[in-house]
Amino acid sequence: MLLEARSLTKTFGAFKAVNDVSLRINKGDIIGLIGPNGAGKSTFFNCLTGDLVPSSGQVFLNGQDVTHLGPEQRAQLGLARSFQVPLSFEGMSVIENVMIGAFLRSADPAVARAKAMEVLTLTGLSAMCDAPASSLGTPGRKRLEIARALATDPDVLLLDEAMAGLTATEVQQAIALVRDIHKLGITLVIVEHIMEVIISLAEQVIVFHQGHEIARGTPQEVTQNEHVIAAYLGKRAAATAARGFAEGGA
Amino acid sequence: MKRGFYPSLFLALALAYPLLLSTPFQQRLGALVLLYAIGASAWNVIGGYAGQVSVGHVMFFGCGAYASLACYVHFGWPPLLGLPLGILASIGIAALIGTPTLRLSGHYFSMATIAVAELLRLVVTNIELLGGAVGLSGPVMPRTWLDLSFTSALPYYYFFLAVLLFVLWVTWRMEQSRMGYYLRAIKDNERAARSLGVEAGRYKLYAFMLSAGLTSIAGSLYAIMFGFIDPESGLGMLTSVKMLIMAALGGAGLLFGPLVGAVILVPLEEISNTLLGGKGAGLTFMAYGAIIMVIARFYPSGILKLLQDRLRPSAGGRQSDVA
């Protein structure tokens, strides 16, 4: 077991953003977390990364209880993440951004630079390594997020809507990149809005709705699940769809 | 142009300055520029590189100044021997107040440092051993050369220049190391830095302690040169503000930024003090207020950054083409 969440609950005041969700991720898995806006998947994600402390439940990384460890300690233990809205270090060049990640495993700037260059080549950013990070557009910034996280040599990489805001072509390129990363032996947890991405990448999908897990299975199974359709389209629309639009016009 | 051209040019000019402009006023002005450059460069480590704006740095300056003169008054030591004690005390105080206050974000850290510095000023005003409100004086006549008490500013000038080079060397080493990269990352985006395994709290504290130790050196040098320290000159807020403004005007987070700021501001202040005499005391505060507004509005990254961008327009153009 690489990463495990045991009945995680996170409340904000009286509001239960995540309600008793468990998850077990083995080495080499690709897990997708989906759900409508406000379903709690980002909150759950942030409990896994250490950005939020769960109200109850536990998180284990490589068998170690990390529930109360911060993001920096989890990064040291092999967990890396990207941010939904890219948080590049704007005052630095592209390669320096990635070096910050690489410094986790070596204090030597020369070693960190070499590691960063290696990762930039993998992510297709090597041509612009000396450009300021602030000169990158959205696709570049999304790649930089991934490159920086990869430079920490993670066991598991959590991607938070890494493909939001990309064009169809860019999404295809990003999917190819994620496959390459998986081939390196890195376990992946993907939060994604775009169904196409989840269907083509994830082996197992967990669907969130109003803080609860409402379905789990292969992408094909969950997309046909009636609860999932209801959550995405609303109950009436789902019922209408189920009746084959027989009375839909009335 | 070679990378080391401007630093070499500065060093040559700095070495020649007191010989070319050799009136006592000019030599004293030169020594003061270097002294403030040391203080502002020390502030730059936490305020510039780590982006944690301390407005209470005078407490470390005061530590150094009081340590030097207290050692002379109570033990008869040369004030220079108090310098390492001041450094140790400053690092201790920085660790003590940095641990809780560096958790605060944004302006709260600045406010906390102001509060602690003012508190320290009031406490010292009431400690007889430290001279209370009257202050402490150094040796009136030098007993040996170790007292470093000279009538001419020339020896101070070269002594301060050597110390400034040391402070800049330490800062440069830090800038090139993992810690330098980490501080810039924390300044840019602490959340992202932490997600990459950067122990932000720990590195900010290291920077604060290093900065405090270096600032303390400036305080000791001040006490050695002027031979007098009281709560206002050693722990007054204006000194904190001066360090901050010099670094910000020149370029916070740049190695030579604080030096550029000191070269511009110290002569301005000295000349205006000479012209206005004692009447200008309140005007200094007003002038600093105005300078803060001008920096914030027109040069948020400092004059040196502005010059760098002007001198290398091709680099800026090329880089923005990449996107």
Side-chain angles (χ1 to χ4, degrees):
Chain A
M1 193 70 51
L2 184 56
L3 183 62
E4 183 183 3
R6 279 189 206 155
S7 17
L8 280 191
T9 297
K10 176 70 187 176
T11 55
F12 297 103
F15 175 66
K16 281 194 176 175
V18 174
N19 195 349
D20 192 23
V21 178
S22 297
L23 176 66
R24 294 156 75 89
I25 300 166
N26 290 308
K27 194 167 165 42
D29 283 353
I30 303 184
I31 305 279
L33 306 180
I34 61 169
N37 278 331
K41 54 191 191 303
S42 275
T43 304
F44 180 73
F45 185 93
N46 283 323
C47 287
L48 294 180
T49 60
D51 287 76
L52 289 174
V53 180
S55 310
S56 67
Q58 287 164 298
V59 181
F60 292 85
L61 180 60
N62 278 320
Q64 187 182 341
D65 185 348
V66 296
T67 314
H68 295 285
L69 296 187
E72 59 272 56
Q73 286 134 337
R74 294 189 202 194
Q76 287 157 10
L77 293 170
L79 182 146
R81 70 166 294 172
S82 73
F83 291 93
Q84 188 178 342
V85 179
L87 302 179
S88 320
F89 302 122
E90 298 284 310
M92 295 187 188
S93 67
V94 167
I95 194 164
E96 284 172 335
N97 263 268
V98 182
M99 282 171 74
I100 298 298
F103 271 126
L104 184 59
R105 307 298 172 202
S106 167
D108 182 348
V111 175
R113 188 170 284 272
K115 172 77 187 172
M117 202 60 221
E118 194 182 299
V119 175
L120 285 174
T121 308
L122 176 78
T123 50
L125 286 170
S126 56
M128 47 197 75
C129 63
D130 290 321
S134 56
S135 71
L136 294 179
T138 305
R141 276 162 197 260
K142 296 265 179 184
R143 276 181 184 250
L144 184 56
E145 284 277 307
I146 296 175
R148 223 166 46 173
L150 278 180
T152 65
D153 264 336
D155 295 325
V156 56
L157 176 60
L158 292 89
L159 300 175
D160 193 0
E161 302 208 11
M163 303 185 198
L166 301 187
T167 64
T169 326
E170 287 158 1
V171 166
Q172 287 312 318
Q173 291 165 346
I175 289 175
L177 172 61
V178 172
R179 288 223 173 89
D180 288 342
I181 293 168
H182 187 234
K183 278 187 205 133
L184 296 173
I186 296 170
T187 306
L188 290 157
V189 179
I190 304 169
V191 170
E192 198 54 70
H193 251 10
I194 311 173
M195 273 312 236
E196 175 199 4
V197 173
I198 290 290
I199 290 170
S200 60
L201 283 172
E203 294 146 355
Q204 200 191 15
V205 178
I206 296 168
V207 188
F208 283 77
H209 184 51
Q210 294 177 348
H212 293 273
E213 172 192 330
I214 56 166
R216 177 185 298 232
T218 65
Q220 286 70 28
E221 283 164 12
V222 299
T223 45
Q224 283 153 26
N225 183 301
E226 58 180 295
H227 296 295
V228 176
I229 297 170
Y232 268 93
L233 301 177
K235 278 191 181 124
R236 261 202 353 233
T240 313
R243 285 194 300 273
F245 295 98
E247 299 154 41
Chain B
M1 212 168 286
K2 285 264 168 61
R3 230 177 89 92
F5 176 76
Y6 287 107
S8 314
L9 183 69
F10 159 75
L11 189 59
L13 283 177
L15 285 170
Y17 167 86
L19 306 175
L20 298 174
L21 299 170
S22 56
T23 68
F25 176 79
Q26 289 162 339
Q27 291 184 340
R28 184 175 166 280
L29 182 62
L32 281 179
V33 168
L34 295 175
L35 180 63
Y36 279 108
I38 294 169
S41 298
W43 179 90
N44 196 28
V45 172
I46 181 77
Y49 285 95
Q52 309 296 311
V53 179
S54 162
V55 195
H57 247 50
V58 74
M59 64 182 126
F60 308 122
F61 182 89
C63 251
Y66 271 99
S68 284
L69 293 188
C71 283
Y72 165 74
V73 170
H74 296 296
F75 311 119
W77 296 357
L80 190 62
L81 281 185
L83 187 144
L85 295 180
I87 294 178
L88 287 179
S90 291
I91 292 176
I93 292 178
L96 212 62
I97 66 170
T99 308
T101 56
L102 281 168
R103 289 167 192 270
L104 302 172
S105 58
H107 303 101
Y108 294 104
F109 173 71
S110 307
M111 283 154 68
T113 52
I114 295 178
V116 176
E118 281 295 284
L119 194 70
L120 212 60
R121 185 174 65 85
L122 292 174
V123 169
V124 169
T125 308
N126 289 295
I127 295 180
E128 277 310 307
L129 274 175
L130 294 175
V134 181
L136 295 174
S137 292
V140 183
M141 291 294 286
R143 297 163 301 178
T144 65
W145 68 271
L146 262 177
D147 277 343
L148 297 178
S149 174
F150 311 108
T151 41
S152 159
L154 194 64
Y156 293 117
Y157 180 90
Y158 284 110
F159 182 35
F160 293 176
L161 182 59
V163 174
L164 176 63
L165 291 177
F166 168 75
V167 170
L168 291 176
W169 177 77
V170 170
T171 311
W172 178 75
R173 285 299 300 264
M174 184 207 77
E175 183 187 277
Q176 300 298 317
S177 73
R178 170 161 76 175
M179 178 163 159
Y181 282 87
Y182 272 7
L183 292 182
R184 284 165 60 205
I186 292 166
K187 179 183 177 178
D188 257 9
N189 197 309
E190 187 167 333
R191 188 169 175 218
R194 290 181 67 197
S195 83
L196 297 169
V198 178
E199 292 182 60
R202 196 151 68 94
Y203 280 94
K204 283 195 283 188
L205 188 61
Y206 288 164
F208 196 41
M209 288 159 70
L210 175 62
S211 175
L214 296 176
T215 307
S216 170
I217 298 178
S220 290
L221 297 182
Y222 175 92
I224 289 169
M225 180 170 166
F226 287 88
F228 174 73
I229 199 78
D230 67 0
E232 199 41 55
S233 60
L235 290 161
M237 202 164 86
L238 190 58
T239 307
S240 296
V241 173
K242 279 185 195 172
M243 286 187 236
L244 188 161
I245 289 190
M246 282 172 198
L249 178 71
L254 297 174
L255 184 59
F256 295 107
L259 175 60
V260 169
V263 167
I264 294 168
L265 282 180
V266 177
L268 267 183
E269 187 191 340
E270 286 301 305
I271 290 166
S272 71
N273 279 355
T274 316
L275 292 179
L276 295 167
K279 286 174 278 180
L283 278 177
T284 318
F285 281 97
M286 287 173 63
Y288 280 124
I291 292 168
I292 291 180
M293 286 194 284
V294 171
I295 297 173
R297 175 65 184 81
F298 297 105
Y299 315 107
S301 12
I303 286 177
L304 191 58
K305 185 88 182 115
L306 203 73
L307 288 176
Q308 280 181 348
D309 293 347
R310 279 274 166 84
L311 290 172
R312 279 180 256 157
S314 56
R318 182 178 54 80
Q319 285 165 341
S320 55
D321 285 344
V322 174

